[in-house]
Amino acid sequence: MEKPRIEEVIVVEGRYDKNTLSQVVDAAIIELGGFAVFNDKQKLSLLRRLAKERGIILFTDPDGAGFLIRNRLKGEIAQGRVLQAYAPDIYGREKRKRTGGKEGKLGVEGMRPEVLLDALRRAGASFRGEKSESRGEPITKADLMEKGLVGDGSAEKRRALIKALELPEHLSANALLEVLNLLFTRKDFLEREL
């Protein structure tokens, strides 16, 4: 079976994530080496260039460390196309490890192929040979406020929505807005019961 080809460069935390993804998709995949990337000026420069020229997809683990890396990189790469692929919170341990991670969640390397492909599709990855559809008018912060997902007392409602959509628990309100725009049209979101 031929692997789907992705146009953007996928950026992952480490070599095991890269190995797992390379078995699922045909794409350029760059490993960050975890937090070491922030001391690697050449790699950061390369990521900036790739974001401008091809677009990149940040695909970090759904734990606190993964979100810290993701958020720091978003600040480091101010221009270009940066998509966000989110792995869901699935609890367990990778086969190669004796114990699970600190938060008990599987990382990118422990995800099933269909979960990885779904996360890449949700991120808006460009699959060669597939047409991307126009999303229309985006969901706004005002829409989130209208639904009670931002503002005073919104945290519990936001957590419930994140859980219902099987998204990582560490999503900020801004990250949730990005994901919602990938998952729904504005019309579908506004009509959705929360």
Side-chain angles (χ1 to χ4, degrees), residues 5-188:
R5 171 92 177 122
I6 294 180
E7 303 295 333
E8 296 86 5
V9 176
I10 302 173
V11 178
V12 295
E13 290 181 53
R15 69 175 180 219
Y16 294 105
D17 301 326
K18 180 178 180 176
N19 183 42
T20 297
L21 268 174
S22 67
Q23 294 174 41
V24 177
V25 294
D26 179 9
I29 303 170
I30 293 179
E31 60 184 85
L32 297 171
F35 292 109
V37 70
F38 300 113
N39 297 318
D40 189 338
K41 295 196 183 313
Q42 288 180 320
K43 191 170 276 185
L44 288 171
S45 177
L46 173 63
L47 292 173
R48 286 186 201 99
R49 183 173 177 196
L50 290 170
K52 285 182 185 176
E53 293 178 11
R54 286 190 54 183
I56 63 173
I57 302 171
L58 296 179
F59 203 165
T60 60
D61 292 345
D63 58 9
F67 273 80
L68 184 62
I69 291 169
R70 178 188 299 273
N71 290 330
R72 289 248 338 246
L73 278 178
K74 280 171 53 178
E76 293 281 343
I77 305 169
Q79 298 176 355
R81 184 166 189 241
V82 180
L83 302 174
Q84 305 288 333
Y86 294 99
D89 286 339
I90 298 174
Y91 291 87
R93 125 185 115 70
E94 279 88 9
K95 291 177 185 174
R96 71 176 179 87
K97 296 180 180 176
R98 286 187 161 189
T99 60
K102 193 195 272 186
E103 295 179 32
K105 298 175 188 175
L106 290 176
V108 170
E109 74 172 271
M111 299 286 164
R112 293 184 327 273
E114 57 273 14
V115 172
L116 296 171
L117 280 171
D118 184 52
L120 290 165
R121 286 191 193 289
R122 287 172 143 185
S126 304
F127 286 81
R128 185 175 286 167
E130 293 182 15
K131 279 200 167 219
S132 60
E133 58 187 61
S134 171
R135 303 293 296 166
E137 208 176 317
I139 301 166
T140 65
K141 273 266 181 104
D143 296 328
L144 295 186
M145 188 167 280
E146 183 180 311
K147 291 280 194 177
L149 294 168
V150 293
D152 291 340
S154 63
E156 192 59 41
K157 193 166 189 175
R158 201 167 45 249
R159 272 193 293 278
L161 177 64
I162 286 169
K163 187 171 182 148
L165 295 176
E166 297 180 336
L167 298 170
E169 67 182 334
H170 293 285
L171 288 178
S172 65
N174 287 336
L176 177 61
L177 180 61
E178 283 181 41
V179 172
L180 291 173
N181 272 301
L182 294 169
L183 297 175
F184 303 103
T185 64
R186 184 169 186 259
K187 180 180 183 291
D188 290 340

